[in-house]
Amino acid sequence: MKAVVTTGNGGYDKLDYRDVPVPTPSAGEVLVQVLAAGVNNTEINTRLGWYSSKVTQGTENLTSNEDEMSDAAETADGGWNDATPFPFIQGTDCCGRVIAVGEGIDSALIGQRILIRSCIRSNGWDSLENIWMASDFDGAFAQFVNIAASEVFPVDCDWSDAELGTIPCAYGTAENMIHRAGVDQNSHVLVAGASGGVGSAVVQLCKRRGAKVTAIAGKSKIEQVNALGADTVIERNDSVLSILGEKSVDVVIDNVAGDAFPEMTEVLKRGGRYASSGAIAGPMVNLDMRTMYLKDLTLIGCTAWDEPVFPNLIGYIERGEIKPLLAKSFPLSEIEQAQREFTEKHHVGKFVLLPPAMTEQQKSHF
Protein backbone atom coordinates (compact mmCIF):
# COMPACT_ATOMS: atom_id res chain seq x y z
CA MET A 1 0.00 0.00 0.00
CA LYS A 2 0.99 3.63 -0.35
CA ALA A 3 1.81 5.44 2.89
CA VAL A 4 3.71 8.43 4.22
CA VAL A 5 6.37 7.17 6.62
CA THR A 6 7.80 9.77 9.00
CA THR A 7 11.40 8.71 9.50
CA GLY A 8 12.44 10.96 12.40
CA ASN A 9 12.46 14.44 13.90
CA GLY A 10 13.17 17.13 11.34
CA GLY A 11 11.89 18.93 8.28
CA TYR A 12 9.78 17.89 5.30
CA ASP A 13 12.57 15.57 4.17
CA LYS A 14 11.43 13.23 6.96
CA LEU A 15 8.14 12.57 5.11
CA ASP A 16 8.70 9.56 2.83
CA TYR A 17 5.81 8.61 0.50
CA ARG A 18 6.45 4.96 -0.34
CA ASP A 19 5.13 1.40 -0.56
CA VAL A 20 4.76 -0.51 2.70
CA PRO A 21 3.04 -3.81 3.56
CA VAL A 22 -0.72 -3.77 4.20
CA PRO A 23 -1.26 -4.46 7.93
CA THR A 24 -3.18 -7.54 9.07
CA PRO A 25 -5.74 -7.13 11.84
CA SER A 26 -5.00 -9.07 15.02
CA ALA A 27 -7.64 -10.39 17.41
CA GLY A 28 -9.92 -7.55 18.47
CA GLU A 29 -8.86 -5.30 15.58
CA VAL A 30 -10.28 -4.24 12.24
CA LEU A 31 -8.57 -3.22 9.02
CA VAL A 32 -9.83 0.12 7.68
CA GLN A 33 -9.45 1.48 4.18
CA VAL A 34 -8.60 5.15 4.72
CA LEU A 35 -10.92 7.38 2.70
CA ALA A 36 -9.76 10.73 4.12
CA ALA A 37 -7.23 11.82 6.75
CA GLY A 38 -7.16 15.30 8.26
CA VAL A 39 -4.06 17.43 8.72
CA ASN A 40 -3.41 18.60 12.29
CA ASN A 41 -0.88 20.59 14.28
CA THR A 42 -0.01 17.46 16.22
CA GLU A 43 1.52 15.61 13.25
CA ILE A 44 3.75 18.58 12.47
CA ASN A 45 4.60 19.08 16.15
CA THR A 46 5.57 15.43 16.53
CA ARG A 47 7.76 15.49 13.42
CA LEU A 48 9.48 18.63 14.69
CA GLY A 49 9.87 17.24 18.22
CA TRP A 50 7.88 20.16 19.69
CA TYR A 51 6.55 18.13 22.64
CA SER A 52 10.09 17.84 24.02
CA SER A 53 10.76 19.71 27.26
CA LYS A 54 13.78 21.19 25.49
CA VAL A 55 11.51 23.22 23.19
CA THR A 56 10.28 26.58 24.46
CA GLN A 57 9.01 28.29 21.29
CA GLY A 58 5.65 28.26 19.56
CA THR A 59 5.23 25.86 16.69
CA GLU A 60 5.34 28.58 14.05
CA ASN A 61 8.93 29.42 15.08
CA LEU A 62 10.34 25.94 15.61
CA THR A 63 11.15 25.19 11.98
CA SER A 64 13.60 28.09 11.94
CA ASN A 65 15.39 27.00 15.12
CA GLU A 66 17.54 24.02 14.21
CA ASP A 67 19.19 23.95 17.64
CA GLU A 68 15.90 23.26 19.44
CA MET A 69 14.93 20.67 16.82
CA SER A 70 18.29 18.97 17.32
CA ASP A 71 17.93 18.98 21.11
CA ALA A 72 14.46 17.44 20.81
CA ALA A 73 15.77 14.68 18.54
CA GLU A 74 18.68 13.90 20.87
CA THR A 75 16.53 13.68 24.01
CA ALA A 76 13.94 11.51 22.19
CA ASP A 77 11.09 12.94 24.27
CA GLY A 78 9.36 14.86 21.50
CA GLY A 79 6.19 12.76 21.36
CA TRP A 80 3.02 12.76 23.41
CA ASN A 81 4.24 9.88 25.55
CA ASP A 82 7.96 10.71 25.47
CA ALA A 83 9.68 8.76 22.69
CA THR A 84 8.08 8.72 19.23
CA PRO A 85 8.20 5.31 17.49
CA PHE A 86 10.09 6.42 14.36
CA PRO A 87 9.88 5.33 11.63
CA PHE A 88 6.10 5.19 11.65
CA ILE A 89 2.96 6.39 9.85
CA GLN A 90 1.29 9.55 11.17
CA GLY A 91 -2.30 10.66 10.57
CA THR A 92 -4.55 11.25 13.59
CA ASP A 93 -7.84 11.72 11.71
CA CYS A 94 -9.50 8.92 9.79
CA CYS A 95 -12.72 8.58 7.87
CA GLY A 96 -12.65 5.08 6.42
CA ARG A 97 -14.42 1.88 5.57
CA VAL A 98 -13.97 -1.43 7.39
CA ILE A 99 -12.71 -4.05 4.94
CA ALA A 100 -11.55 -6.89 7.22
CA VAL A 101 -11.91 -7.94 10.85
CA GLY A 102 -9.68 -9.84 13.23
CA GLU A 103 -10.60 -12.77 15.43
CA GLY A 104 -13.56 -12.13 17.73
CA ILE A 105 -14.99 -9.17 15.78
CA ASP A 106 -18.42 -9.25 14.14
CA SER A 107 -18.08 -9.34 10.35
CA ALA A 108 -21.19 -7.13 10.11
CA LEU A 109 -18.77 -4.19 10.46
CA ILE A 110 -17.30 -4.95 7.04
CA GLY A 111 -18.36 -2.36 4.49
CA GLN A 112 -19.47 0.26 7.03
CA ARG A 113 -18.20 3.83 6.75
CA ILE A 114 -16.66 4.82 10.07
CA LEU A 115 -14.73 7.38 12.04
CA ILE A 116 -11.84 6.30 14.25
CA ARG A 117 -11.56 7.57 17.82
CA SER A 118 -7.86 8.35 17.81
CA CYS A 119 -7.49 8.78 21.59
CA ILE A 120 -7.54 5.43 23.41
CA ARG A 121 -7.93 5.34 27.20
CA SER A 122 -5.47 2.48 27.50
CA ASN A 123 -6.22 1.57 31.14
CA GLY A 124 -9.97 2.12 30.99
CA TRP A 125 -12.18 5.13 31.70
CA ASP A 126 -11.19 5.34 35.36
CA SER A 127 -7.61 6.21 34.38
CA LEU A 128 -6.40 9.22 32.40
CA GLU A 129 -3.58 7.17 30.85
CA ASN A 130 -3.97 7.30 27.08
CA ILE A 131 -2.34 6.40 23.80
CA TRP A 132 -2.96 8.00 20.41
CA MET A 133 -3.17 6.69 16.90
CA ALA A 134 -0.41 8.36 14.86
CA SER A 135 1.59 9.31 17.93
CA ASP A 136 2.07 5.97 19.65
CA PHE A 137 1.33 3.62 16.73
CA ASP A 138 0.71 3.79 12.98
CA GLY A 139 -2.01 6.12 11.79
CA ALA A 140 -4.03 7.12 8.75
CA PHE A 141 -1.56 8.71 6.31
CA ALA A 142 -1.85 5.50 4.30
CA GLN A 143 -4.31 3.50 2.23
CA PHE A 144 -5.09 1.19 5.17
CA VAL A 145 -4.81 1.28 8.95
CA ASN A 146 -5.32 -1.25 11.76
CA ILE A 147 -7.25 -0.17 14.83
CA ALA A 148 -8.94 -1.77 17.83
CA ALA A 149 -12.59 -2.43 16.98
CA SER A 150 -13.63 -0.55 20.14
CA GLU A 151 -12.37 2.67 18.54
CA VAL A 152 -14.44 2.35 15.35
CA PHE A 153 -17.72 4.27 15.13
CA PRO A 154 -20.10 3.76 12.18
CA VAL A 155 -21.61 7.04 10.99
CA ASP A 156 -24.75 7.48 8.88
CA CYS A 157 -24.84 10.85 7.12
CA ASP A 158 -24.63 12.47 3.69
CA TRP A 159 -21.28 14.16 4.31
CA SER A 160 -18.44 13.46 1.89
CA ASP A 161 -15.46 11.40 3.02
CA ALA A 162 -13.31 14.53 3.05
CA GLU A 163 -15.86 16.36 5.23
CA LEU A 164 -15.93 13.48 7.71
CA GLY A 165 -12.13 13.50 7.68
CA THR A 166 -12.19 16.94 9.31
CA ILE A 167 -13.87 15.67 12.46
CA PRO A 168 -11.99 13.26 14.77
CA CYS A 169 -9.01 15.12 16.22
CA ALA A 170 -10.24 18.73 16.04
CA TYR A 171 -13.83 18.13 17.08
CA GLY A 172 -12.93 15.43 19.61
CA THR A 173 -10.41 17.76 21.23
CA ALA A 174 -12.90 20.64 21.17
CA GLU A 175 -15.79 18.62 22.61
CA ASN A 176 -13.51 17.25 25.32
CA MET A 177 -12.50 20.74 26.49
CA ILE A 178 -16.11 21.92 26.39
CA HIS A 179 -17.25 18.83 28.30
CA ARG A 180 -14.55 19.20 30.95
CA ALA A 181 -15.20 22.93 31.37
CA GLY A 182 -18.93 22.36 31.87
CA VAL A 183 -20.10 24.71 29.12
CA ASP A 184 -23.88 25.17 29.01
CA GLN A 185 -26.50 27.68 27.91
CA ASN A 186 -25.57 30.00 30.78
CA SER A 187 -21.88 30.19 29.85
CA HIS A 188 -20.03 33.05 28.20
CA VAL A 189 -17.06 31.40 26.48
CA LEU A 190 -13.95 33.11 25.10
CA VAL A 191 -12.34 31.09 22.29
CA ALA A 192 -8.77 31.85 21.24
CA GLY A 193 -7.56 30.81 17.78
CA ALA A 194 -11.15 30.53 16.58
CA SER A 195 -10.32 30.13 12.88
CA GLY A 196 -8.21 27.00 13.32
CA GLY A 197 -9.42 23.42 13.18
CA VAL A 198 -9.96 23.07 16.93
CA GLY A 199 -11.03 26.68 17.48
CA SER A 200 -13.67 26.64 14.75
CA ALA A 201 -14.99 23.38 16.19
CA VAL A 202 -15.14 24.94 19.67
CA VAL A 203 -17.23 27.84 18.34
CA GLN A 204 -19.75 25.49 16.72
CA LEU A 205 -19.93 23.09 19.64
CA CYS A 206 -20.36 25.86 22.23
CA LYS A 207 -23.15 27.45 20.19
CA ARG A 208 -24.78 24.03 19.89
CA ARG A 209 -24.99 24.02 23.72
CA GLY A 210 -26.55 27.48 23.70
CA ALA A 211 -23.54 29.33 25.09
CA LYS A 212 -22.57 32.92 24.30
CA VAL A 213 -19.31 32.89 22.34
CA THR A 214 -16.69 35.59 21.99
CA ALA A 215 -14.05 34.49 19.51
CA ILE A 216 -10.53 35.72 18.71
CA ALA A 217 -9.33 35.56 15.10
CA GLY A 218 -7.09 37.28 12.58
CA LYS A 219 -8.56 40.30 10.84
CA SER A 220 -8.91 38.51 7.48
CA LYS A 221 -10.90 35.67 9.08
CA ILE A 222 -13.38 37.61 11.20
CA GLU A 223 -16.24 37.31 8.70
CA GLN A 224 -15.82 33.54 8.41
CA VAL A 225 -15.73 33.08 12.19
CA ASN A 226 -18.88 35.19 12.51
CA ALA A 227 -20.51 32.83 10.02
CA LEU A 228 -19.80 29.92 12.38
CA GLY A 229 -22.12 31.53 14.94
CA ALA A 230 -19.80 33.54 17.17
CA ASP A 231 -21.66 36.35 18.92
CA THR A 232 -18.61 38.63 18.88
CA VAL A 233 -15.22 38.35 17.18
CA ILE A 234 -12.17 40.21 18.51
CA GLU A 235 -9.26 40.88 16.20
CA ARG A 236 -6.24 38.80 17.23
CA ASN A 237 -3.89 41.75 17.92
CA ASP A 238 -6.38 43.67 20.07
CA SER A 239 -6.34 43.54 23.87
CA VAL A 240 -9.01 41.14 25.06
CA LEU A 241 -8.84 42.65 28.54
CA SER A 242 -9.42 46.19 27.25
CA ILE A 243 -12.41 45.12 25.15
CA LEU A 244 -14.13 42.69 27.52
CA GLY A 245 -12.95 43.96 30.90
CA GLU A 246 -12.05 42.02 34.02
CA LYS A 247 -14.27 39.17 35.24
CA SER A 248 -16.33 39.09 32.04
CA VAL A 249 -16.36 35.45 30.90
CA ASP A 250 -17.12 32.12 32.54
CA VAL A 251 -14.86 29.90 30.41
CA VAL A 252 -11.74 30.42 28.32
CA ILE A 253 -10.81 27.76 25.78
CA ASP A 254 -7.31 28.52 24.58
CA ASN A 255 -5.00 26.48 22.37
CA VAL A 256 -2.87 29.54 21.59
CA ALA A 257 -1.25 30.48 24.95
CA GLY A 258 2.03 32.42 24.55
CA ASP A 259 2.19 36.10 25.50
CA ALA A 260 -1.61 36.54 25.57
CA PHE A 261 -2.08 34.09 28.45
CA PRO A 262 -2.15 36.59 31.35
CA GLU A 263 -5.13 38.46 29.89
CA MET A 264 -7.02 35.16 29.61
CA THR A 265 -6.93 34.73 33.38
CA GLU A 266 -7.82 38.38 33.99
CA VAL A 267 -11.05 38.23 31.97
CA LEU A 268 -12.27 35.11 33.77
CA LYS A 269 -14.94 35.62 36.40
CA ARG A 270 -14.43 34.38 39.93
CA GLY A 271 -14.70 30.59 39.77
CA GLY A 272 -14.00 30.62 36.02
CA ARG A 273 -12.54 27.71 34.09
CA TYR A 274 -9.61 27.79 31.68
CA ALA A 275 -9.22 24.76 29.37
CA SER A 276 -6.38 24.03 26.96
CA SER A 277 -5.01 21.24 24.81
CA GLY A 278 -2.33 23.16 22.94
CA ALA A 279 -0.01 26.15 22.84
CA ILE A 280 0.69 27.12 19.25
CA ALA A 281 1.98 30.60 20.16
CA GLY A 282 4.34 29.21 22.80
CA PRO A 283 4.20 26.76 25.73
CA MET A 284 5.94 29.02 28.24
CA VAL A 285 3.49 31.49 29.82
CA ASN A 286 3.36 33.95 32.73
CA LEU A 287 0.87 33.06 35.44
CA ASP A 288 0.25 35.36 38.39
CA MET A 289 -0.59 32.81 41.08
CA ARG A 290 -2.52 35.49 42.97
CA THR A 291 -4.92 35.82 40.06
CA MET A 292 -5.45 32.07 40.05
CA TYR A 293 -6.06 31.51 43.75
CA LEU A 294 -7.76 34.79 44.68
CA LYS A 295 -10.30 34.28 41.88
CA ASP A 296 -10.74 30.55 42.58
CA LEU A 297 -9.90 29.68 38.98
CA THR A 298 -9.75 26.14 37.62
CA LEU A 299 -7.08 25.35 35.04
CA ILE A 300 -7.98 22.27 32.99
CA GLY A 301 -5.45 20.39 30.88
CA CYS A 302 -7.15 18.25 28.24
CA THR A 303 -5.47 15.42 26.37
CA ALA A 304 -7.31 12.21 27.33
CA TRP A 305 -10.80 12.25 25.81
CA ASP A 306 -13.64 11.42 28.19
CA GLU A 307 -16.05 8.57 27.41
CA PRO A 308 -19.04 10.65 26.15
CA VAL A 309 -16.98 12.77 23.74
CA PHE A 310 -16.84 10.66 20.59
CA PRO A 311 -20.36 9.17 20.83
CA ASN A 312 -21.59 12.76 21.26
CA LEU A 313 -19.90 13.81 18.02
CA ILE A 314 -21.39 10.93 16.04
CA GLY A 315 -24.84 11.93 17.30
CA TYR A 316 -24.31 15.60 16.43
CA ILE A 317 -23.31 14.64 12.87
CA GLU A 318 -26.18 12.23 12.32
CA ARG A 319 -28.73 14.74 13.68
CA GLY A 320 -27.33 17.58 11.58
CA GLU A 321 -26.39 19.68 14.61
CA ILE A 322 -22.89 20.60 13.39
CA LYS A 323 -21.37 21.17 9.97
CA PRO A 324 -17.94 20.35 8.57
CA LEU A 325 -15.50 23.11 7.78
CA LEU A 326 -13.36 21.71 4.97
CA ALA A 327 -10.82 24.25 3.77
CA LYS A 328 -9.02 22.18 1.12
CA SER A 329 -8.23 18.60 0.06
CA PHE A 330 -4.90 17.25 -1.22
CA PRO A 331 -3.78 13.87 -2.56
CA LEU A 332 -1.83 11.97 0.11
CA SER A 333 1.27 12.18 -2.08
CA GLU A 334 1.17 15.99 -1.69
CA ILE A 335 1.51 15.93 2.09
CA GLU A 336 4.46 18.31 2.05
CA GLN A 337 2.47 20.96 0.19
CA ALA A 338 -0.50 20.43 2.51
CA GLN A 339 1.61 20.88 5.63
CA ARG A 340 3.39 23.92 4.18
CA GLU A 341 0.07 25.62 3.45
CA PHE A 342 -1.27 24.52 6.83
CA THR A 343 1.56 26.25 8.69
CA GLU A 344 0.91 29.50 6.79
CA LYS A 345 -2.46 29.72 8.60
CA HIS A 346 -4.28 31.49 5.79
CA HIS A 347 -7.19 29.03 5.89
CA VAL A 348 -10.24 28.57 8.12
CA GLY A 349 -11.13 25.01 9.12
CA LYS A 350 -9.32 21.82 8.15
CA PHE A 351 -7.10 20.44 5.40
CA VAL A 352 -7.64 16.80 4.41
CA LEU A 353 -5.43 14.26 2.62
CA LEU A 354 -7.00 11.72 0.25
CA PRO A 355 -5.15 8.41 -0.23
CA PRO A 356 -5.21 6.72 -3.65
CA ALA A 357 -8.14 4.40 -4.36
CA MET A 358 -7.66 0.67 -4.00
CA THR A 359 -6.00 -1.02 -6.94
CA GLU A 360 -7.63 -4.01 -8.65
CA GLN A 361 -5.03 -6.24 -7.03
CA GLN A 362 -5.90 -4.89 -3.59
CA LYS A 363 -9.62 -5.32 -4.25
CA SER A 364 -9.11 -8.96 -5.24
CA HIS A 365 -7.23 -9.57 -1.99
CA PHE A 366 -10.16 -8.34 0.11
Side-chain angles (χ1 to χ4, degrees):
M1 69 175 183
K2 294 293 185 183
V4 176
V5 178
T6 305
T7 59
N9 288 126
Y12 296 111
D13 60 308
K14 300 299 183 181
L15 300 173
D16 186 6
Y17 183 67
R18 67 192 195 203
D19 287 311
V20 300
V22 176
T24 301
S26 301
E29 293 183 333
V30 299
L31 180 65
V32 174
Q33 177 195 3
V34 179
L35 302 175
V39 177
N40 297 284
N41 279 304
T42 185
E43 288 104 16
I44 297 170
N45 293 346
T46 298
R47 171 170 56 77
L48 295 175
W50 182 80
Y51 296 106
S52 170
S53 59
K54 297 289 185 182
V55 176
T56 59
Q57 297 189 78
T59 55
E60 69 273 21
N61 297 318
L62 184 57
T63 53
S64 61
N65 191 325
E66 294 184 0
D67 289 338
E68 285 202 351
M69 287 175 62
S70 177
D71 287 344
E74 288 178 9
T75 54
D77 67 343
W80 285 34
N81 289 304
D82 293 328
T84 302
F86 298 119
F88 80 125
I89 299 169
Q90 294 184 282
T92 313
D93 287 330
C94 182
C95 165
R97 194 173 304 280
V98 177
I99 58 170
V101 298
E103 182 182 348
I105 302 303
D106 190 346
S107 61
L109 273 175
I110 294 175
Q112 294 200 49
R113 192 166 67 148
I114 56 89
L115 290 177
I116 290 177
R117 177 170 57 192
S118 44
C119 176
I120 300 171
R121 294 286 278 272
S122 44
N123 292 341
W125 297 108
D126 293 331
S127 168
L128 287 172
E129 292 298 323
N130 61 93
I131 57 174
W132 281 73
M133 183 176 80
S135 182
D136 298 299
F137 58 92
D138 284 344
F141 289 167
Q143 285 182 288
F144 306 97
V145 63
N146 263 352
I147 190 68
S150 59
E151 310 311 310
V152 163
F153 288 75
V155 57
D156 182 12
C157 67
D158 60 1
W159 293 16
S160 70
D161 298 333
E163 288 172 333
L164 281 172
T166 67
I167 292 297
C169 186
Y171 282 73
T173 298
E175 177 73 3
N176 195 48
M177 289 189 286
I178 292 166
H179 171 75
R180 292 263 190 98
V183 173
D184 60 21
Q185 69 273 15
N186 298 314
S187 303
H188 180 186
V189 183
L190 176 64
V191 182
S195 64
V198 174
S200 59
V202 170
V203 172
Q204 281 199 66
L205 292 167
C206 285
K207 291 306 298 180
R208 187 206 151 270
R209 292 183 180 223
K212 177 182 177 181
V213 172
T214 297
I216 303 170
K219 186 174 182 179
S220 64
K221 301 172 182 177
I222 288 176
E223 185 176 342
Q224 291 164 288
V225 174
N226 268 321
L228 293 175
D231 297 280
T232 305
V233 183
I234 297 173
E235 204 275 318
R236 184 177 59 203
N237 296 319
D238 290 343
S239 167
V240 170
L241 182 59
S242 296
I243 293 171
L244 295 179
E246 294 183 5
K247 300 180 181 178
S248 54
V249 303
D250 303 288
V251 176
V252 170
I253 296 184
D254 177 20
N255 275 11
V256 177
D259 293 340
F261 176 83
E263 288 200 351
M264 299 299 176
T265 58
E266 293 290 344
V267 298
L268 278 168
K269 296 177 182 177
R270 186 176 298 279
R273 289 91 70 199
Y274 173 98
S276 178
S277 64
I280 62 173
M284 312 306 291
V285 299
N286 291 318
L287 171 63
D288 187 331
M289 290 296 292
R290 293 163 297 186
T291 301
M292 187 189 78
Y293 72 76
L294 289 173
K295 291 175 67 176
D296 293 281
L297 301 182
T298 300
L299 306 183
I300 310 169
C302 298
T303 292
W305 292 353
D306 291 342
E307 188 173 9
V309 166
F310 217 71
N312 282 354
L313 290 178
I314 299 298
Y316 303 160
I317 293 168
E318 293 186 336
R319 294 191 299 270
E321 295 175 0
I322 58 175
K323 60 183 180 181
L325 199 59
L326 176 64
K328 190 174 180 180
S329 298
F330 300 79
L332 179 61
S333 59
E334 295 181 11
I335 185 172
E336 178 178 338
Q337 180 62 29
Q339 290 194 348
R340 285 184 184 277
E341 290 190 28
F342 181 92
T343 58
E344 292 170 357
K345 304 297 183 184
H346 295 317
H347 63 289
V348 174
K350 289 289 294 285
F351 285 171
V352 168
L353 297 170
L354 304 176
M358 275 201 286
T359 65
E360 292 303 318
Q361 182 180 3
Q362 288 169 334
K363 288 179 182 178
S364 66
H365 180 74
F366 298 113

